[in-house]
Amino acid sequence: MTTPTSPSTGPAEAAVLLVLLPVTMGTTHTAQNALNADLNALQHKLGSIIRLLRIPETSHPAVVRSFQPDELPAMVLVQQGVEIWRQQGLPDGDAIIPLLMSKIQPLNNTTTLIS
């Protein structure tokens, strides 16, 4: 089974939006369902260009700490292992989509890094 990608990005080049979630986030069943629905809707709108990955502090505390967030929840956008954007809090509406899209870099085999 293959994962669809846009013409400008392949699976290794796709950006990943890490959603770092605190221990207390969505402690009620209703709150957890609402959070999951919001994040699923965001992933659907982002398509295959940006993959959304939830990282709960309860199950992955070392991973969450490795990003040294000032507060949780937080979002970190990474592309090819490099952090390109960060925000405290969760997305508020669809305004986040064009912002995220503007941050990612279309990459291809002819791209070279300049230091």
Side-chain angles (χ1 to χ4, degrees), residues 39-81:
L39 293 177
N40 288 341
L42 177 60
Q43 176 62 81
H44 180 74
K45 291 173 185 172
L46 294 172
S48 61
I49 297 172
I50 299 174
R51 179 174 174 228
L52 188 143
L53 182 61
R54 297 170 183 97
I55 305 178
E57 187 179 29
T58 51
S59 53
H60 303 291
V63 174
V64 171
R65 280 193 309 267
S66 74
F67 284 95
Q68 302 174 339
D70 292 332
E71 339 178 332
L72 293 175
M75 296 181 298
V76 179
L77 185 63
V78 246
Q79 189 171 22
Q80 291 193 330

Side-chain angles (χ1 to χ4, degrees), residues 8 10-11 18 21-22 46 50 53 56 58-59 62 68 78 86 94 97 100 107 110 114:
S8 63
L18 304 171
L21 300 168
L46 294 172
I50 299 174
L53 182 61
T58 51
S59 53
Q68 302 174 339
V78 246
R86 176 184 290 238
D94 290 343
I97 296 166
L100 292 172
L107 300 171
T110 60
I114 301 172

Side-chain angles (χ1 to χ4, degrees), residues 85-106:
W85 177 83
R86 176 184 290 238
Q87 173 181 300
Q88 301 303 317
L90 294 174
D92 186 23
D94 290 343
I96 190 87
I97 296 166
L99 174 72
L100 292 172
M101 295 299 189
S102 73
K103 300 294 180 187
I104 62 172
Q105 301 296 316

